[in-house]
Amino acid sequence: MLWRSPVIRLLRMIDATELSSLNRHFASSSYLDTKRSDRDSALFSRITTTPCTITYPHLARWYSHIAATTSRTMATVGKGQPQWFPPQGSNDGLKVYNSLTRRKDVFVPESGGRNITWYNCGPTVYDASHMGHARSYISFDILRRIMSDYFGYKILYVLNITDIDDKIILRARTKYLLEQYRGEMKSRSKEEVLSEIQGAVATFRSKMAEMPAEDPKLKMMQKVMADLDPVLALADPDLDQLLTLSSMAMENWLDARLGAGVTDHSIFAALTQYWEGEYWKDMGDLGVLPPDVLTRVTDYVPEIVSYVQKIIDNGYGYESNGSVYFDSAAWRKDRGYMAKLKPESVGDLDALADGEGKLTDSSGKEKRNQVDFALWKRSKPGEPFWESPWGQGRPGWHIECSAMADAICGGKLDIHSGGEDLLFPHHDNEILQAESHSACKQWVNYFIHTGHLSIEGCKMSKSLKNFITIQDALKKNSGRQLRLHFLSHSWHGGLDYSESAMAEAVSTEKQFNDFFLLVKYHKSQLGAGISSFGKFGEGELKLTKSLENCQKTVHLALCDSFDTPAAMRALRSVVSDSYTYLNGRKTPNIRLLVKVGAYVTEILSVFGVINKQESIGFSSGDSSSSTEEAALPFVRVLSQFRDEVRGMAREIKAVSILQSCDNVRDNVLPELGVRLEDREVGEPAVFKIDDKDTLLREKKQREEEVARKEREKAEKAEAKAKAVREKLEKGKVNPVDMFQTDQYSAWDEQGLPTIDKEGKPVTQSQQKKLKKLQAVQDKLHKAYLQHISDLEI
């Protein structure tokens, strides 16, 4: 069944084959940054709701995107987004793309001044953070820095940590049970353990057989079985290896039998504390600022209980079998809507079920309506619990953010943020909770969501073998390079992570770094007093205008919902214009050049690309700007001395001295964080203080390139020698003897066959071909004889 709700059907029914084909098409097609086509509209008109997100994830994502760009909503909803109430007050030109309106709205703080409250949905800490998470973490860090450091807002930035959740419970419980089983396995008979593993695998296979072919999890499970089956087939398999390969099956098997007996809360806490620690390590490596306030769900359970009780008291919640649910019918009766962000998804029961979690009652018997959702969940055996007026239980997923935001920021938020996948039902349900709790008409003024991240054009998935953790990505690229990549794309549009995209980010970093090093070099040449001021000619006026245009473009771009791609283009443009200004100019206006470098540094600092203490450019490893300034006079003396030595060595043709000078440039100075670039004969070398690691990495790349060329040269030489050897070996045969085989029975005086083995004459055309072959062999044989003769001489 493609859609679970009986009232939601396909118009002009699309069959499963076409749905599967469309799902495959949208898995590799980019549509987030393009306008809706007539073809999109035609296909969209045939569907009345979001396709099943499990069976057709890519088609469902396309549908939601198209729905967000049109005024049409689901037939079962009948109207679009509810009215948005803009906050009143002055504004400084900033507009923000607001998910509540799906347009760019003028930003006005609720306070009427510069203070704003911002609540960001943080991680559920049960596994390693991946690049999809980095998409939100880095993007919101950039936006936060722009609002604070560029626009001057004073932000109270709150981040939550979800440390109790269905995913956490299942992961902690199954990992614990599997490790317990591994420890006990050694004291049991091999036959007994093998029998249990085989039983668990059989159950696992049965589950796979019931899954739809399009389910993305099925591919991952099939991969598990492909690795496991050969080991299971062995007469005497290694149990440790077998348990590791069958861990997915065994975890499900053990949890079904023993999960209810896991009651120690420390088991769940150990998992979340470990992964929260890894999360903060990731954030440090990415250069993401810490929040002003961190809220963990387990620290706010009393506040959540009180929050839920007030929703009940206001008439919008009800208790059922120890759980508490939001009363959608009561809310709809009073307010008339069930979703502000994605009203077209209200009937998507798949999304609602996913938001409820795997451990929530799926029968629907506890609920009054299918679209009601859990505020408080009754804890079953094997689940952590807290005391409440409704019995032992734990918070629902959606309630945590509403309650914790209220505890820190009060009943009103300026900004609430998260990934695009949280729009519905999570954030829509948060709105219902908050507005039913405080009886307000608008809990959040600006909801902002980052777009999805794809890997090489495809959705990230373990089954597709393209699941990349943040630490995996950082092994290939730095946090700065990742940030530069994100800055080059819209924060609320789609973003592709690929080798080619990261190569562009690396190139961008190099472009800026080379410029900064050049500015620093010229700055080191700046004289004192009146000598530091030169004539302001046409070139200087042109570069000044370029800087002014850049500043204007950057400001307008940042006002236009943080359009960092346009801002980055403007920065690269003024850098390019600076190179144009410097070309062929021996005495540039250094003060103007430093001014350009300082502005580019300032904006990149706002974006979090550069540490704020840097006056110009990127940080040079562990050294500060003051250290650079102190080192420059010594580097200048060394560079000048080397120039003089090289000049004298050229005159007397002292090759060994020139090689020593090259060694200082290529090997000695990079170890000290100094880049030296020789120019044409007679011109002084350019020296720059640079990042030691960058210089050593470039040195290694040069050495690898030289080694590669040497290998290629050796391989070509060997291939040539091999070809010569093969020709000589073939040339050993005298052309007169080359056809003396059992294929023929008679030959002429030149050795050409005249009669074949069956006694038939060799045809004229055959003889012609054989004669050509013999002529080729004759040349080879003569070359062979010449080679032997040369060796004897």
Side-chain angles (χ1 to χ4, degrees), residues 484-497:
L484 285 169
H485 175 47
F486 286 22
L487 282 163
S488 298
H489 296 79
S490 167
W491 59 270
H492 62 83
L495 175 68
D496 189 49
Y497 173 80

Side-chain angles (χ1 to χ4, degrees), residues 116-134:
I116 63 174
T117 54
W118 184 338
Y119 186 94
N120 184 38
C121 275
T124 300
V125 283
Y126 73 104
D127 205 344
S129 296
H130 53 69
M131 283 302 294
H133 296 131

Side-chain angles (χ1 to χ4, degrees), residues 185-249:
M185 185 173 67
K186 299 174 182 178
S187 62
R188 302 172 61 198
S189 69
K190 188 170 186 175
E191 292 75 15
E192 184 180 8
V193 173
L194 184 58
S195 175
E196 289 178 346
I197 292 177
Q198 289 172 337
V201 171
T203 303
F204 191 70
R205 289 186 199 276
S206 299
K207 182 180 178 181
M208 289 173 59
E210 297 172 356
M211 297 172 69
E214 296 84 1
D215 193 327
K217 293 181 182 178
L218 181 60
K219 292 182 179 179
M220 182 171 62
M221 296 167 74
Q222 289 169 338
K223 174 64 171 60
V224 169
M225 293 310 303
D227 295 336
L228 177 59
D229 283 337
V231 181
L232 272 175
L234 297 175
D236 187 25
D238 178 80
L239 287 185
D240 278 326
Q241 180 189 18
L242 191 60
L243 185 60
T244 299
L245 291 173
S246 63
S247 60
M248 186 180 291

